[in-house]
Amino acid sequence: MSSPTLKVGIVGLGRLGQRHAINLAQRVPNAEVVAACSPVPAELDWAASTLGITTGYADYDALLAHPGLDAVFLVTPTSLHADQIIAALRAGKHVFCEKPLSLDLADCLKVEAEAERHPQLTIMIGFVRRFDASYHDAQQKIAQGVIGKPYLVRSQTCDQNDPSGAFMRFAPTSGGIFLDCSVHDIDLARWLLGNPVPKRVYASGTNAIHTGLQAFGDVDNGLATVEFSDGSMASFMASRTMAHGHETLTEVFGTGGRLAVGSNPRLNRVEISDAHGVRNECTPDFYARFADAFLIEAQEFTDAALGRRTLSLTLHDATEATRIGLAMTQAMREARPVEF
Ligand code: NAI
């Protein structure tokens, strides 16, 4: 591509879309946000008044027809991802799409098949933790053999309890706690263990606070174990009920040692010593923990779409994360092990 900047359309300006829009518009040097798309007029007004993105489309197909558009950044509800990716590829656009790729394995494979027809286009699913400096360092150390042969990942995504239960509005469409939250840990486990093939899954869960989730076959705390065919294993916990804040913790056990990322989910390096003891404040939410990684992720996508580098993750990684997340959900709902 000869263009020095990537002309991006941001699609979805909700909780996360606005943050991606700010990064792309203000902090990714080679990206230019030329248009926004949302069915909500107030969100398009926000893009115009906050970021000067004055071209807004309520209709996604109209955005795809925007003159000179190179790429779309999809931050829309998960149920729309597969169709929106396919439409963008057919329109000749590079695609960034938030995780998970889809809640349906057949749809993941349809997207993979469509992507194969457009090898010149970059397509990236946002597994943001791969772009976090600490996870990156851990992966490099494992690859260098620092902990010997890795055989077990224990990883958790635990959100601070929101007493308002606002997240309940996502419950009908999120796919459940494993596909919504653990999908990050699943991707990390595959990456850190060297992409093993899943063999069997066990899972269970409980509703400690948000009992309304039961109506959607969902839980506010879930546990799962995945066995891989090379003998390695991964164990996952996801929670929406933490009292102290957002805590993402991953441990990797190897034959020669153990690495841990996030054992203390500290907000910063300040330590408070007082009558209650010695403590630090905690990251309140996922964005506080991964803000830097979201920016690095957007930079990698932009550089790849401009032909300046290759992506560090594949579309198939996203399909595998959905495949394992679906099996975990099934194992929990049916209270039995699920074989692949
Ligand atoms: P949200 O509900 O806050 O935002 C969704 C946005 O999509 C809204 O702006 C809505 O107006 C827009 N939208 C709905 N239908 C549309 C359509 N047909 N065309 C264009 N725009 C449409 O949801 P949120 O929390 O921002 O999540 C969006 C995606 O990001 C989800 O797939 C979610 O899984 C993912 N996500 C990823 C996180 C991560 O850690 N990487 C964290 C939070 C969300």
Side-chain angles (χ1 to χ4, degrees), residues 7-10 32 34-35 63-72 91-93:
K7 296 187 172 45
V8 182
I10 178 87
E32 182 189 352
V34 294
L63 172 91
L64 290 177
H66 181 86
L69 188 76
D70 296 318
V72 291
K93 311 302 172 193

Side-chain angles (χ1 to χ4, degrees), residues 29-323:
N30 299 317
E32 182 189 352
V33 185
V34 294
C37 174
S38 166
V40 180
E43 293 180 353
L44 295 178
D45 290 346
W46 174 88
S49 61
T50 311
L51 298 174
I53 306 167
T54 51
T55 305
Y57 296 97
D59 178 56
Y60 179 60
D61 290 332
L63 172 91
L64 290 177
H66 181 86
L69 188 76
D70 296 318
V72 291
F73 222 84
L74 301 173
V75 201
T76 49
T78 300
S79 55
L80 303 179
H81 290 176
D83 286 347
Q84 289 185 330
I85 294 171
I86 289 171
L89 292 173
R90 288 182 180 163
K93 311 302 172 193
H94 303 286
V95 183
F96 172 92
C97 180
E98 261 306 333
K99 52 52 66 175
L101 167 52
S102 171
L103 304 177
D104 182 285
L105 192 56
D107 280 349
C108 293
L109 297 172
K110 255 168 50 185
V111 174
E112 282 198 54
E114 190 63 40
E116 275 170 29
R117 291 183 201 113
H118 308 276
Q120 77 287 8
L121 295 176
T122 294
I123 167 163
M124 175 176 181
I125 307 300
F127 284 107
V128 66
R129 293 184 193 172
R130 293 196 187 210
F131 302 93
D132 173 72
S134 299
Y135 278 108
H136 181 76
D137 186 45
Q139 196 271 343
Q140 300 273 298
K141 286 190 164 58
I142 292 166
Q144 289 158 12
V146 169
I147 58 164
K149 183 174 162 33
Y151 62 86
L152 172 63
V153 166
R154 185 163 66 185
S155 192
Q156 67 182 47
T157 297
C158 294
D159 282 331
Q160 185 165 29
N161 183 46
D162 175 359
S164 79
F167 65 88
M168 287 292 290
R169 81 184 162 97
F170 299 106
T173 54
S174 74
I177 200 164
F178 292 136
L179 280 157
D180 195 29
C181 301
S182 303
V183 76
H184 284 294
D185 304 274
I186 297 167
D187 181 64
L188 284 177
R190 289 188 64 254
W191 185 49
L192 298 170
L193 289 171
N195 300 330
V197 177
K199 190 176 74 174
R200 189 180 299 116
V201 168
Y202 306 84
S204 64
T206 188
N207 279 309
I209 296 179
H210 302 282
T211 49
L213 285 170
Q214 203 170 339
F216 305 101
D218 201 3
V219 294
D220 61 18
N221 280 263
L223 284 172
T225 300
V226 180
E227 296 171 354
F228 296 101
S229 38
D230 66 355
S232 61
M233 294 176 70
S235 155
F236 303 109
M237 176 186 177
S239 173
R240 300 196 190 276
T241 60
M242 292 295 105
H244 60 293
H246 172 91
E247 182 175 330
T248 287
L249 160 63
T250 303
E251 294 164 289
V252 189
F253 297 77
T255 51
R258 177 179 74 109
L259 289 179
V261 179
S263 311
N264 180 341
R266 53 192 323 144
L267 179 64
N268 55 33
R269 289 167 198 244
V270 175
E271 202 167 78
I272 305 161
S273 302
D274 60 13
H276 302 290
V278 182
R279 65 188 191 280
N280 55 261
E281 290 175 324
C282 178
T283 45
D285 55 36
F286 73 92
Y287 203 78
R289 169 66 182 85
F290 291 109
D292 291 347
F294 278 104
L295 179 59
I296 295 168
E297 172 187 76
Q299 285 165 340
E300 175 163 323
F301 169 73
T302 302
D303 287 345
L306 288 169
R308 294 174 181 168
R309 58 160 298 153
T310 51
L311 286 180
S312 58
L313 70 182
T314 69
L315 187 55
H316 189 64
D317 288 326
T319 299
E320 283 300 282
T322 288
R323 191 157 79 99

